[in-house]
Amino acid sequence: MTVVSEMLRTHPTGVGDTDETILKNCILACLECLYSCTACADACLVEPSVADLRGCIRTNLDCADVCDATVRVLSRHTGSEGDLVRRMLEACRDICRACADACERHAEMHLHCEVCALTCRRCQAACTELIATL
């Protein structure tokens, strides 16, 4: 059992009407995306073609920040504002799509961009799935 599963299971108020498995999967996808985007931006910074990667780096960092904020909002169940959660998930889904698109443009030359793009697509899908349950 993951820490995320344990925290969701042991929260005194539970997760309300939200499907616990879908919520857990989204939190884990956001955490992986946060890590992947941060690591990809760092790897891009040491590439010889760093000037060509500036937009990708910026999108990586934006995506990491939005994923971080989304995890924080999804981790709070006491008095959660449903509309805020939906908007955060939509923002996360949208930046993950943009980041995956940016990384895919460099994926043939940079393996870290390929990995990051795949991670962003998984997070995008997890956010979309959770939005559908709200």
Side-chain angles (χ1 to χ4, degrees):
M1 182 177 298
T2 66
V3 170
V4 173
S5 296
E6 287 184 68
M7 291 308 296
L8 292 173
R9 185 180 54 76
T10 60
H11 194 283
T13 63
V15 295
D17 296 333
T18 306
D19 181 299
E20 189 174 314
T21 301
I22 294 173
L23 176 60
K24 176 195 75 167
N25 290 342
C26 190
I27 290 170
L28 290 172
C30 286
L31 288 169
E32 286 184 351
C33 196
L34 162 63
Y35 171 76
S36 181
C37 289
T38 301
C40 188
D42 185 65
C44 285
L45 287 171
V46 296
E47 291 289 353
S49 59
V50 68
D52 298 331
L53 297 169
R54 283 188 185 128
C56 190
I57 294 166
R58 186 171 294 111
T59 305
N60 282 155
L61 297 175
D62 288 347
C63 190
D65 288 344
V66 172
C67 285
D68 184 37
T70 302
V71 165
R72 291 172 185 268
V73 169
L74 293 178
S75 298
R76 294 190 284 267
H77 310 290
T78 312
S80 291
E81 175 59 46
D83 192 44
L84 171 65
V85 172
R86 176 179 295 283
R87 288 192 313 254
M88 287 296 301
L89 287 166
E90 289 168 348
C92 192
R93 176 200 60 204
D94 293 348
I95 191 64
C96 285
R97 181 184 312 118
C99 192
D101 290 347
C103 282
E104 285 169 354
R105 288 192 286 277
H106 307 285
E108 286 187 22
M109 290 185 61
H110 308 293
L111 186 56
H112 53 85
C113 285
E114 180 182 344
V115 172
C116 188
L118 291 171
T119 306
C120 288
R121 293 284 182 218
R122 282 194 300 269
C123 190
Q124 175 187 348
C127 289
T128 300
E129 184 178 21
L130 185 54
I131 290 167
T133 68
L134 300 178

